[in-house]
Amino acid sequence: MRTKRLAIALATMLAAGCGGAAETPAAAPATSAPAGPVSLTYWTWAPNMDKIAEVWNQANPDIKVTVSKQAGGDDAAAKFLTAAKAGNAPDLVQAEYQHLPSFIAADAVADIAAEAAAVKPEFSAGLWGLVTLGTESVYAIPQDSGPMMLYYRKDLFEKYGIGVPKTWDEYAEAARTVHKADPKVYLGSFSSKDPGWFAGLAQQAGAQWWSISGDAWKVGINDAATTKVADFWGGLVQEGVIDDMPYFTPEWNKALNDGTQLSWPSAVWGPGVLESNAPKGKGKWGIAPLPQWNAGENFSGFWGGSSTAVSAGSKNRAAAVKFATWLNTDPQGIDLLVKEAFVYPASGKGQAALGAPPAYFAESQPDFWQQAATIGTSARGFTFGPNVGVTYNAYKDAFDKALQDKSPFSASVGTMQDTTVADMQKSGFTLAQ
Amino acid sequence: MNRRPVGALPTGLLVLGAIYCLLPVSWVLISASKSPGELFTLGTLTPGSGLLENVRELNAYRDGVFWRWMLNSVVYAGGGALLSTLVSAVSGFALAKYRFPGRNLIFNVLIGGILVPSVVLAVPQYLLFSKIGMADTYWAVLLPQILHPYSIYLARVYASAAVPDSLLEAGRIDGASERRLLGRVALPLMVPGMVTIFLFQFVAIWNNFLLPFLMLGDDGKFPLTVGLYSLLAAGANQPSLYNLIITGALLSIIPLIALFLTMQRYWRTDLSGGALKG
């Protein structure tokens, strides 16, 4: 029942969002596998997915999967939504967790509960919630996940005489110590360009930006937890002991390389980034759980991660689910995902099977995957809303402005809340107070 | 004596302009020579040692898909610019030299069309092409670029200046059909203008991003712009392949430079011709 109501609440977005007489692809009735070989298209940006599909195609000549490698990120979500609206959506699509609700709201992805409910035990409750939004429906199969942890330079922590911070208070103290010792060096940086990062830290603090109560959405971006996180970073930035350059930029890469950035609260997929952007740090980085808000706690959040969804317009839903299930839960599929696509698999079995650490960490953190698995279980659940794109853009605008004007960060959180609520009202969602 | 300071100012401005234009290109050139390890560690303008390695890696990336994108770009830009030039020349000539009912209306609509940026049209075009089942085909990128209002406008201006009425009149008196007049008299006179249009369109299509990004789902049909973008935006959890992207960008401007060098002759003729006859 709840599912139905959610679907209705979500579907209102389509009417408001697209305007004009865009055709909603008729729900595909085909749940039984059609006779004869079927051919599926799959939009993804994971590297080497074409090679993985090739392995599947060899073994399954009756279901041929053609991979089309797309650009990832927010643009990929917009492109998929446009294609779905025009009836050109691929059968399978890689969907980041934060964009899945907008796909559901636009009726672009199919409810595959009938075919996929059986794989539920493969995944942790937190991840499963991201693809069901807490309903009985299943909108995608989790592919990879991004529990957050603290990456830090072991050698430089020693040099500056700081221990691995267990709480955020200790983190702030360490930031002051380091910056005092060498004004060119920072413990870390606050990025106004990475809303996913901030969302992960807010999750750790216990934030719930969106929730569904009855048939209405509740938006709580400016809750106490998020405000606490924002003010913590705002204070450090104002004090000048934490840098404020965005991640993944050339200057940030440079700082990682020359050792003027000592740590990075990031997700489990960090090694790939460090290896390509900071090759000089090989063998010098270690990982630890994120600093906690209260001593003795043990929480983390998610940054990034994606799932495999079946588009609502697909005429071969059963075959598509079969492939998605194989890819994300079959030992062979997971093994390929890890080795070829370099993802941290969402499946619990897959995570446990990871052995040798990433080459970048071979010397400094040989138990990388074991650490990661322990940290992963502490990640808190979260529900993303139907207009995450709007919220994330508001984050970038509001925090850029806060950095420029040196205004309090909590005000930026307020802007995010207001922008998100206004957009949802405009799109016709029912909001609970 | 007093000519010197007058000359220094324009020269200075031109030098500034040249630096402004050449600096980004030299940045691309220098950055493309850096290996992944050097990219963020060497100074901005210090050349690295990895150019050949980068090219080799790009060549190997997904079994040489880069060259396929390059070929696609050549098809889109070359084919699109050629068709667009022909259509523009013929319609520009007709608008300049024939009087027929509705001529001004058509021309005014064209002028209006110039004011509508093609970016705005990309999404409606995508929806239209989806409706007729032609999205995700080569035609989906080629067709929308063929009709280009600004090129038709240019062709009209050029035709009215470069093709004398008296010449057409003489041809008619000698018994030439209108088709023959167009093919043998008008178009040869318009070649410099057509080259201009061709170059404009070639560059515009070569650099176009949004239209192919929306229209194409199959990565085998991507042009360079969209293909390289898929290397850059690889999702939050995959590192961007910076060195491949920069090397790809460098290689992708080589055809443009080659085209400009070979067509420069006509380009110059056109500018001076326009200056004299305009």
Side-chain angles (χ1 to χ4, degrees), chain A residues 271 274-276 278-285 357-364:
Chain A
L274 290 173
E275 190 171 359
S276 88
K280 276 193 177 171
K282 187 174 178 183
K284 295 175 182 158
W285 288 79
Y360 193 84
F361 284 86
E363 295 153 46
S364 48

Side-chain angles (χ1 to χ4, degrees), chain B residues 242-259:
Chain B
Y242 291 113
N243 59 321
L244 297 191
I245 297 159
I246 295 170
T247 311
L250 177 70
L251 293 181
S252 77
I253 54 177
I254 290 175
L256 286 185
I257 294 175
L259 190 73

Side-chain angles (χ1 to χ4, degrees), chain A residues 23 43 45 47 50 67-73 75 79 82-83 86 88 96 144 248 250 253-254 257 269 272-273 276-277 279-280 341-343, chain B residues 36-37 40-43 61-62 123 126-127 130-131 135 212-214 216-219 222 226 229-231 233-240 242:
Chain A
E23 277 142 84
W43 282 7
W45 56 85
D50 37 0
V67 167
S68 184
K69 190 170 187 294
Q70 304 291 320
D75 300 325
K79 179 170 173 173
T82 318
N88 294 324
E96 285 181 287
D144 53 289
F248 312 110
N253 294 340
K254 207 173 159 101
N257 262 314
W269 39 260
V273 176
S276 88
N277 297 7
K280 276 193 177 171
F342 312 114
V343 304
Chain B
F40 299 113
T41 50
L42 280 183
Y61 178 74
R62 296 180 60 211
V123 171
Y126 172 70
L127 294 175
S130 302
K131 209 155 226 170
F213 177 71
L214 280 174
L216 302 173
D218 173 9
D219 56 348
F222 283 177
V226 181
Y229 181 66
S230 75
L231 294 187
N237 52 353
Q238 304 291 347
S240 302
Y242 291 113

Side-chain angles (χ1 to χ4, degrees), chain B residues 16-75:
Chain B
L16 274 182
I19 292 174
Y20 180 80
C21 294
L22 289 177
L23 204 63
V25 181
S26 48
W27 182 86
V28 171
L29 186 64
I30 292 168
S31 298
S33 73
K34 292 176 183 169
S35 68
E38 293 167 336
L39 191 55
F40 299 113
T41 50
L42 280 183
T44 310
L45 292 178
T46 319
S49 59
L51 180 60
L52 290 179
E53 177 63 15
N54 284 344
V55 173
R56 205 188 55 74
E57 224 179 288
L58 184 65
N59 195 27
Y61 178 74
R62 296 180 60 211
D63 304 324
V65 74
F66 175 80
W67 300 108
R68 189 178 174 123
W69 294 336
M70 179 79 93
L71 196 68
N72 287 338
S73 272
V74 170
V75 170

Side-chain angles (χ1 to χ4, degrees), chain A residues 32-125:
Chain A
S32 60
V38 297
S39 137
L40 303 172
T41 48
Y42 179 19
W43 282 7
T44 172
W45 56 85
N48 296 324
M49 197 58 97
D50 37 0
K51 287 187 188 146
I52 298 175
E54 201 41 54
V55 174
W56 162 267
N57 290 342
Q58 292 285 328
N60 299 273
D62 52 334
I63 302 176
K64 185 175 181 298
V65 177
T66 308
V67 167
S68 184
K69 190 170 187 294
Q70 304 291 320
D74 298 349
D75 300 325
K79 179 170 173 173
F80 173 72
L81 281 174
T82 318
K85 218 162 273 175
N88 294 324
D91 297 283
L92 291 145
V93 64
Q94 182 175 1
E96 285 181 287
Y97 295 120
Q98 74 268 25
H99 289 304
L100 196 59
S102 66
F103 293 177
I104 300 167
D107 279 334
V109 291
D111 177 1
I112 51 173
E115 296 91 345
V119 302
K120 181 178 174 182
E122 301 276 337
F123 305 99
S124 74

Side-chain angles (χ1 to χ4, degrees), chain B residues 97-161:
Chain B
K97 294 296 168 189
Y98 295 102
R99 312 204 152 268
F100 52 90
R103 184 177 81 142
N104 283 334
L105 181 72
I106 293 177
F107 191 63
N108 289 338
V109 169
L110 275 176
I111 299 269
I114 295 173
L115 299 177
V116 182
S118 57
V119 174
V120 177
L121 298 176
V123 171
Q125 279 168 346
Y126 172 70
L127 294 175
L128 283 174
F129 272 82
S130 302
K131 209 155 226 170
I132 55 173
M134 278 173 78
D136 201 11
T137 63
Y138 278 94
W139 291 111
V141 179
L142 272 174
L143 285 179
Q145 320 242 28
I146 289 177
L147 208 63
H148 190 242
Y150 187 65
S151 301
I152 299 177
Y153 171 75
L154 265 185
R156 180 190 183 269
V157 172
Y158 197 83
S160 54

